[in-house]
Amino acid sequence: MKMAAPTTSKAASLGCNNKPAFPELDFRSGARVEELNKLIQEFTKHDQREYDDQRALEIHTAKDFIFSMLGMVQKLDQKLPVANEYLLLSGGVREGVVDLDLDELNVYARGTDYDMDFTLLVPALKLHDRNQPVTLDMRHSALCHSWLSLRLFDEGTISKWKDCCTIVDHINGATNYFFSPTKVADWFFDSISIVLSEIQKKPQRGMPKVEKVEKNGTIISIILGVGSSRMLYDIVPVVSFKGWPAVAQSWLMENHFWDGKITEEEVISGFYLVPACSYKGKKDNEWRLSFARSEVQLKKCISSSLMQAYQACKAIIIKLLSRPKAISPYHLRSMMLWACDRLPANYLAQEDYAAHFLLGLIDDLQHCLVNKMCPNYFIPQCNMLEHLSEETVMLHARKLSSVRSDPAEHLRTAIEHVKAANRLTLELQRRGSTTSIPSPQSDGGDPNQPDDRLAKKLQQLVTENPGKSISVFINPDDVTRPHFRIDDKFF
């Protein structure tokens, strides 16, 4: 008994309150956690660029051009809603901003092809007059997907969109029109092409240069040159709903990390159908449920250190796991949301834990691959990796194992890539125009005074709201007066 006392005392002296004399290490790779944190900070510094007044004005000019173009598309045949609400997200489809894993997407690279990228969700149809849960026709579809019958709409809407539907005749003689994502995308691309052709016949001073217009599956990608900047817009035709889908109703009954931070009304204010089918679905009929509006709200509850780790992890895997096509950044985002539900909020709020979060995300992703299981965050019964072959998941799991064995080296590579992209952008800017560009609406006089004020305001919006989405309410008959909403603030 006398011998045990000093041993107990020694054990107490090694308690968790005393910091060890050696640096904190990652057990698997041996990397110093402090070094990983510094590398993540360096990546964040180069990845999140600050915009000066000139760049902010160029961003505004490109956005203004896109919205003017959409107003003209609406006037072509009156198919688009007159009073429409677009969701503008920073980051393109390739960045996993929305759940659109399309094989037909052409490869564009930041620095080489564009400087900034955006995704714009444009409702072709809106169903905003229901308070009860929205029931969709999911009898013919995989989970997270649906067909859309125009029976939900009035006769005028059916008449307008008949040519963008597949027709199913029933035994009783009734005809059902199903809204076709592929036909809608074809119509949208043709309409945009007609409008751009007309615009380019009568160029206005300061008008952006249309450098590329391509249809990537059901997405229309437009690259605009404005002054010394190149902006990529991925424009997605969608169906917009207010309320919440019945298939995701049970998710609301569970406890979530955002409880008490934002209201349920904010989270379930609406959802979309986006033009993407399942791996065994019928491309002409099947839409995918998207909760992009809700995800914008949930991002407000995610700590900056976890978001930094997510962005760094995304940069590492987006190239490493690109072939064969299996994992998209959206899968990683879903895993991050699940981690937020699983882990204590005070742990995830630690500012100097970005390295732990990065390693955890890699571990989570590898776990999901090995088990071929990644539940959709809003509809957990939908396994987003179910379709993958054993060979594909094991190949990617082995690639991730190499990342996990040396995360510092892969972070350095990601930093070099983003630096190279920034150098390309700066070089092209030096070659291009360095003079201020007027707004497309200005014609003579002194346009710089109001535009300078606008540029400063836009710069403030951009720098104060990194990574947030912007809703824009626009009247196609008055394209000079867009109204911005960034999350829940109006401008």
Side-chain angles (χ1 to χ4, degrees), residues 12-27:
S13 72
L14 295 174
C16 62
N17 290 329
N18 294 330
K19 287 190 174 181
F22 48 84
E24 187 179 4
L25 302 177
D26 168 39
F27 186 91

Side-chain angles (χ1 to χ4, degrees), residues 55 111 114-115 230 421-429:
R55 179 59 67 88
Y114 63 89
D115 307 318
R230 296 159 302 157
N422 289 340
R423 282 195 298 270
L424 267 173
T425 295
L426 290 171
E427 178 60 31
L428 287 165
Q429 284 173 353

